Amino acid sequence: MDQVQRFIAANTFQFGYVMQEASRQWIEKDPTGALTVGPCNFFVEKSGTYHEILDKLELIEKVWRNGSLGDLDEAMRKCFDENTGSEEGDNQ
């Protein structure tokens, strides 16, 4: 067992913290490489980061509750056509 494995074994109550810190350091040292594990890189390029997706959902929900269909259409276009890797017409 190496030093990292021993540390994790001794701190099992802190798995979330260990993963978050490892992720933070990896992103700091290699921002692109940190997102290439599994489907993560594709998802981030296509849909945005977790917080960007939450912001998009919040905007859509707000417009859905308070706006018109035209406002909803505009909000959807803003969410899915702006800097997300998604191009207009992707889902047509």
Side-chain angles (χ1 to χ4, degrees):
M1 205 185 261
D2 69 19
Q3 185 179 7
V4 173
Q5 291 170 327
R6 280 192 297 277
F7 176 82
I8 292 171
N11 293 282
T12 57
F13 59 93
Q14 294 182 329
F15 281 148
Y17 173 71
V18 170
M19 294 300 293
Q20 182 64 37
E21 184 57 22
S23 177
R24 185 193 67 74
Q25 288 187 28
W26 191 2
I27 290 168
E28 187 177 285
K29 289 180 173 117
D30 183 9
T32 301
L35 298 174
T36 59
V37 177
C40 296
N41 188 51
F42 173 78
F43 186 84
V44 169
E45 286 179 357
K46 193 74 175 167
S47 304
T49 65
Y50 175 74
H51 292 285
E52 289 170 341
I53 293 168
L54 288 179
D55 290 343
K56 291 174 184 180
L57 180 59
E58 182 180 11
L59 173 62
I60 291 168
E61 286 179 339
K62 181 188 275 186
V63 171
W64 178 259
R65 285 185 173 77
N66 302 321
S68 68
L69 286 179
D71 293 337
L72 181 60
D73 183 57
E74 184 179 331
M76 295 289 281
R77 286 183 191 283
K78 179 178 181 184
C79 288
F80 296 107
D81 294 339
E82 187 178 282
N83 300 323
T84 62
S86 172
E87 295 180 14
E88 198 167 329
D90 270 358
N91 42 350
Q92 291 179 357

